């Protein structure tokens, strides 16, 4: 079995319900078991700024699936939540990103592991610190906690735990 780190986000519809439902759905995928999930965080948009704030969290999944099969299952879940891909970094009902998969380094047209922008994104790192701080991101040869410590105060202040 492998360990996958997944970032979950939503800023359309009932975002809290979407994220919570996605956590449950990921844990019910064939040959997968939810090991941990973070609190929900209110975060500022990244990339395209002219959109509502996001609800984000992270999860740690044990899986017997290979990375591409897991990615396809995640994309199917996004479709089930009526995700529309018409604007890069735009608003969405559900966004699932495969952040890391064990210590695998992979670079294909379809999937790059670890996620190429994870070290820049407080909305990914802060929730991951809560559940997988000691996880080593192979491409950076640093733990999630170490990568998170390099974020600026401004970046960290854009990630607030939800009440």
């Amino acid at each position: 079995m492998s360990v996958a780190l997944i970032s979950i986000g939503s800023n359309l519809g009932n975002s809290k319900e979407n994220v919570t439902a996605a956590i449950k759905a990921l844990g019910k995928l064939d040959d997968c078991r939810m090991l941990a999930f973070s609190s929900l965080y209110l975060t500022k948009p990244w990339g395209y700024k002219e959109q509502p704030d996001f609800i984000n969290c992270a999860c740690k999944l044990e899986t017997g699936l290979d990375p591409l099969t897991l990615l396809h299952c995640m994309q199917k879940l996004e479709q089930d939540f009526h995700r529309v891909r018409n604007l890069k970094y735009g608003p969405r009902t559900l966004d699932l990103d495969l952040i890391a998969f064990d210590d695998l380094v992979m670079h294909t047209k379809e999937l790059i592991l670890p996620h190429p922008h994870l070290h820049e994104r407080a909305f990914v790192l802060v929730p991951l610190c809560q559940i997988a701080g000691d996880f080593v991101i192979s491409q950076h040869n640093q733990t999630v906690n170490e990568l998170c410590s390099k974020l600026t105060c401004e970046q960290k202040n854009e990630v607030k735990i939800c009440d």
Side-chain angles (χ1 to χ4, degrees), residues 7-160:
S7 178
I8 305 170
S10 173
N11 72 339
L12 290 179
N14 187 328
S15 295
K16 283 185 180 179
E17 280 184 17
N18 292 346
V19 169
T20 302
I23 292 167
K24 291 177 185 170
L26 286 165
K28 291 180 181 177
L29 291 175
D30 287 342
D31 211 10
C32 291
R33 182 172 66 93
M34 184 63 63
L35 297 176
F37 56 90
S38 73
S39 301
L40 301 184
Y41 291 83
L42 182 65
T43 67
K44 298 290 180 195
W46 189 91
Y48 178 70
K49 303 282 188 187
E50 302 302 314
Q51 60 181 315
D53 288 348
F54 278 81
I55 299 295
N56 284 100
C57 75
C59 72
K60 184 177 180 181
L61 195 68
E62 182 179 64
T63 182
L65 302 176
D66 64 83
L68 282 175
T69 301
L70 178 58
L71 176 68
H72 295 153
C73 290
M74 291 166 51
Q75 290 169 337
K76 170 71 168 80
L77 282 175
E78 288 176 335
Q79 289 174 353
D80 292 346
F81 281 79
H82 310 290
R83 163 103 188 240
V84 176
R85 295 177 186 267
N86 57 3
L87 178 63
K88 188 168 183 150
Y89 305 124
R92 58 209 85 160
T93 53
L94 184 63
D95 184 37
L96 300 173
D97 285 329
L98 185 53
I99 301 301
F101 194 95
D102 289 334
D103 61 354
L104 182 64
V105 175
M106 180 177 182
H107 196 283
T108 69
K109 186 177 178 182
E110 199 170 2
L111 180 61
I112 300 172
L113 289 172
H115 192 287
H117 297 292
L118 81 101
H119 64 287
E120 304 168 331
R121 296 178 173 177
F123 69 86
V124 172
L125 289 171
V126 172
L128 279 177
C129 281
Q130 192 179 11
I131 60 164
D134 293 333
F135 190 96
V136 175
I137 303 298
S138 55
Q139 196 77 346
H140 296 275
N141 198 30
Q142 295 179 323
T143 66
V144 169
N145 283 334
E146 289 169 329
L147 291 172
C148 195
S149 73
K150 295 180 179 184
L151 295 170
T152 66
C153 288
E154 182 182 349
Q155 287 173 305
K156 290 178 185 175
N157 286 336
E158 290 186 348
V159 180
K160 304 209 181 302

